[in-house]
Amino acid sequence: MKTTLEELQAFVAVVDGGSITAAADHLDQTVSGISRALARLEKKLDTTLLRRTTRRTALTEEGQAFLQRTRAILASIEDAEEHMAARRQQPAGRLRVNAATPFMLHAVVPLVPAFRSAYPQITLELDTDEAYIDLLERRTDVAIRIGQLQDSTLHARPLCTSRLRVLASPEYLARAGRPKSVADLAGHTLLGFNQPESLNRWPLRGTHGDEWPIVPSLTASSGETLRQLALAHVGLVCLSDFMTAADRESGRLVQVLARETVEVRQPINAVYYRNTQLAARIACFLDFLQERMGG
């Protein structure tokens, strides 16, 4: 049977204090508790560590040898605790973050310089996937997920929301004409997702309700691919503001059917597993994202 930390601490406290009573006072325990801890320790080691009389205690030769090792063990534990406290104050270590390519490029990457400046001891590992991943299987600390969450086993931190709009380049509209109604979309090149199908229901109001299911002329798995196609004047696209804000500000993409567009905001969450205390490197990253994306 292995010894316990409590037994090792009791042993050292008796040696340093010179008596079981002094050790009990130092560790804020009862005299009988310290005595039992010493007895268990000696039984497990099958040796006598201390010779005890009514007036004093003295180390045996075996006790002297064991004391050196015990002090080293306790010092190592104390050092580990101090190291973890330092990490909480100045988080360190590898942080694996996963997100869809568009969100990584347009929302996370621009924040990386500021995060690295604030937390230079954290090593970021940024991965992109268009589909949801298994965090445990991929050894991922934090994943950014867009849309309604499905996995109830994960903890989630809301970061922000992002509005959906139907967009096209001025060059495409000059060539194909600007749609004046939802029905006009039938005569246009529509850029959509190959999965999930829910992303091909555009937030457009009409006799059909508040969604318009499109039949894409061209599909892609990534919103960034669709954005690039729209910028290349290929057709109309429905994308989230987080990846098109700069394009709209510069005029490279313009909104169409604004009056018919229903205000739909996609929730964006950071998800993670948490069995015990959240690691400082994860907590500070979540706080950092939430603070800067909350607006």
Side-chain angles (χ1 to χ4, degrees):
M1 186 181 296
K2 295 182 179 179
T3 58
T4 67
L5 179 60
E6 178 188 6
E7 293 162 354
L8 297 181
Q9 289 173 326
F11 171 57
V12 172
V14 171
V15 173
D16 291 344
S19 69
I20 290 178
T21 301
D25 290 340
H26 176 70
L27 296 177
D28 195 24
Q29 295 185 24
T30 63
V31 171
S32 60
I34 296 295
S35 182
R36 286 195 298 271
L38 279 177
R40 290 196 305 271
L41 180 60
E42 289 181 327
K43 183 177 181 180
K44 290 175 183 178
L45 297 175
D46 194 24
T47 190
T48 300
L49 301 174
L50 291 164
R51 298 192 187 281
R52 299 181 282 279
T53 68
T54 56
R55 302 184 59 183
R56 60 190 292 270
T57 60
L59 283 166
T60 64
E61 183 176 344
E62 292 79 9
Q64 185 67 53
F66 188 69
L67 178 64
Q68 295 179 359
R69 297 291 183 91
T70 301
R71 289 195 189 281
I73 292 170
L74 295 179
S76 177
I77 293 173
E78 184 177 350
D79 179 68
E81 291 175 341
E82 291 177 353
H83 177 68
M84 294 309 297
R87 283 174 67 101
R88 287 195 296 271
Q89 297 172 1
Q90 184 60 38
R94 184 175 300 278
L95 181 66
R96 297 177 176 86
V97 181
N98 182 276
T101 302
F103 195 85
M104 186 69 78
L105 291 175
H106 296 282
V108 177
V109 168
L111 298 178
V112 167
F115 182 79
R116 285 182 50 79
S117 177
Y119 302 100
Q121 296 183 47
I122 293 180
T123 302
L124 280 175
E125 185 176 298
L126 306 178
D127 297 316
T128 57
D129 285 278
E130 307 315 317
Y132 287 172
I133 65 163
D134 185 307
L135 272 65
L136 292 179
E137 183 180 318
R138 295 281 292 275
R139 299 178 61 201
T140 297
D141 296 305
V142 178
I144 311 298
R145 293 192 171 169
I146 302 168
Q148 297 299 325
L149 294 176
Q150 304 296 326
D151 192 342
S152 60
T153 65
L154 296 173
H155 290 266
R157 178 82 69 90
L159 298 178
C160 59
T161 61
S162 187
R163 188 178 178 185
L164 290 167
R165 303 175 197 263
V166 180
L167 306 162
S169 69
E171 290 83 352
Y172 171 82
L173 295 175
R175 183 179 74 246
R178 179 183 287 268
K180 294 181 172 59
S181 68
V182 176
D184 290 346
L185 294 179
H188 284 268
T189 300
L190 306 182
L191 309 176
F193 290 86
N194 53 27
Q195 62 174 343
E197 187 57 34
S198 60
L199 294 177
N200 292 327
R201 295 195 292 267
W202 291 4
L204 295 172
R205 185 183 299 107
T207 56
H208 51 278
D210 289 344
E211 284 186 338
W212 180 264
I214 68 160
V215 178
S217 309
L218 188 156
T219 63
S221 61
S222 169
E224 181 59 23
T225 301
L226 297 177
R227 171 180 170 268
Q228 292 294 336
L229 288 168
L231 289 170
H233 327 308
V234 174
L236 293 161
V237 71
C238 182
L239 294 174
S240 195
D241 279 356
F242 72 79
M243 75 173 86
T244 62
D247 299 325
R248 288 183 290 108
E249 288 177 9
S250 67
R252 290 180 295 177
L253 292 178
V254 297
Q255 186 175 2
V256 299
L257 299 173
R259 289 185 179 180
E260 291 81 3
T261 298
V262 179
E263 184 167 338
V264 172
R265 292 186 172 272
Q266 294 177 305
I268 298 175
N269 293 275
V271 299
Y272 54 96
Y273 281 104
R274 179 179 179 179
N275 296 325
T276 55
Q277 181 66 29
L278 191 62
R281 71 185 190 283
I282 299 175
C284 72
F285 183 73
L286 295 174
D287 291 343
F288 184 89
L289 289 186
Q290 193 170 44
E291 179 182 345
R292 284 156 180 78
M293 294 181 181

